[in-house]
Amino acid sequence: GQNIDQPTEMTATEGAIVQINCTYQTSGFNGLFWYQQHAGEAPTFLSYNVLDGLEEKGRFSSFLSRSKGYSYLLLKELQMKDSASYLCAVSPDTGGFKTIFGAGTRLFVKA
Amino acid sequence: DTGVSQDPRHKITKRGQNVTFRCDPISEHNRLYWYRQTLGQGPEFLTYFQNEAQLEKSRLLSDRFSAERPKGSFSTLEIQRTEQGDSAMYLCASSLVRWRGADTGELFFGEGSRLTVL
């Protein structure tokens, strides 16, 4: 079966750093994504990892360990606009690039 | 091209009625996906198309749901005999995946069609 776990909610302070963890168990693996979704809006792509290691993109970084079925999204220099849901998603190795999503982590950034 | 567009954005219907949603993907994208999202949950996969071929359909999708992509461009999702449990946001997404390409399968989502079944 397919299972993606991430914390339901997190709270952090403006200017701080926050790490959102994700663990997954899927029938195969063809890459892991992080998407951001503001309330009432569509998800937007943040990052993609297919090899182990850290991918950095501005204030956002994403890490992957395939052997552990583990990823995290690191947000630095938090801003109020970063308050959103962060969705961890995996493409199982079905050859179809179908993407399976976790339930999302709702991040609240406080002043 | 301004991105993925969906219509209607909101639909309120009575239980038992049929509803149809339309999705226009990014023009050069060859893959089109339908997802359903309820409050506090991530998008749940429903079905996807490679050009006009429907390649996979979720086992969660009952016979009341049908999707088409007749010419490999826009797609429609029809729900027959709606039930209150069908109330959700229906998201369409598209992506470009080329044979032996370096594409990641990143999804570009539309704004969604919110269905309320009374």
Side-chain angles (χ1 to χ4, degrees), chain B residues 1-5 24-27 109 111:
Chain B
D1 198 349
T2 57
V4 179
S5 63
D24 287 89
I26 294 172
S27 57
F109 283 90
E111 294 296 322

Side-chain angles (χ1 to χ4, degrees), chain A residues 1-4 24-28 90 92-94 98 100, chain B residues 56 59:
Chain A
Q2 325 279 21
N3 193 49
I4 299 174
Y24 64 90
Q25 291 177 305
T26 56
S27 55
V90 174
D93 188 18
T94 63
K98 177 178 71 178
I100 306 297
Chain B
E56 188 168 349
R59 288 171 293 172

Side-chain angles (χ1 to χ4, degrees), chain A residues 1 8 30-31 33 35 37 40-46 48 87 91 94-104 106, chain B residues 9 31 33 35 37 39-45 48 56 89 91 95 97 103-112 114:
Chain A
T8 303
N30 198 33
F33 300 84
Y35 286 82
Q37 186 174 27
E41 298 182 8
T44 55
F45 171 80
L46 287 178
Y48 172 75
L87 301 163
S91 278
T94 63
F97 283 94
K98 177 178 71 178
T99 304
I100 306 297
F101 285 82
R106 196 180 311 178
Chain B
R9 294 289 309 279
R31 294 200 172 192
Y33 303 78
Y35 284 85
Q37 188 174 28
L39 196 63
Q41 298 299 313
E44 174 190 28
F45 170 79
Y48 89 93
E56 188 168 349
M89 177 72 84
L91 293 166
S95 69
V97 177
D103 309 294
T104 66
E106 169 193 345
L107 297 175
F108 293 80
F109 283 90
E111 294 296 322
R114 181 170 295 282

Side-chain angles (χ1 to χ4, degrees), chain A residues 27-91:
Chain A
S27 55
F29 183 80
N30 198 33
L32 186 142
F33 300 84
W34 285 95
Y35 286 82
Q36 181 190 58
Q37 186 174 27
H38 285 100
E41 298 182 8
T44 55
F45 171 80
L46 287 178
S47 69
Y48 172 75
N49 295 68
V50 67
L51 300 176
D52 290 352
L54 188 68
E55 294 281 342
E56 297 186 79
K57 189 186 295 185
R59 294 189 299 113
F60 293 10
S61 303
S62 57
F63 171 83
L64 175 67
S65 169
R66 289 173 297 171
S67 62
K68 295 181 179 179
Y70 168 70
S71 172
Y72 67 73
L73 179 70
L74 195 70
L75 292 75
K76 303 176 185 176
E77 301 169 14
L78 279 173
Q79 301 175 10
M80 299 298 287
K81 68 177 182 179
D82 296 329
S83 293
S85 284
Y86 291 86
L87 301 163
C88 177
V90 174
S91 278

Side-chain angles (χ1 to χ4, degrees), chain B residues 8 15 28 59 65 67 72-73 102 110-111:
Chain B
R15 188 179 55 182
E28 61 266 29
R59 288 171 293 172
F65 288 72
S73 55
E111 294 296 322

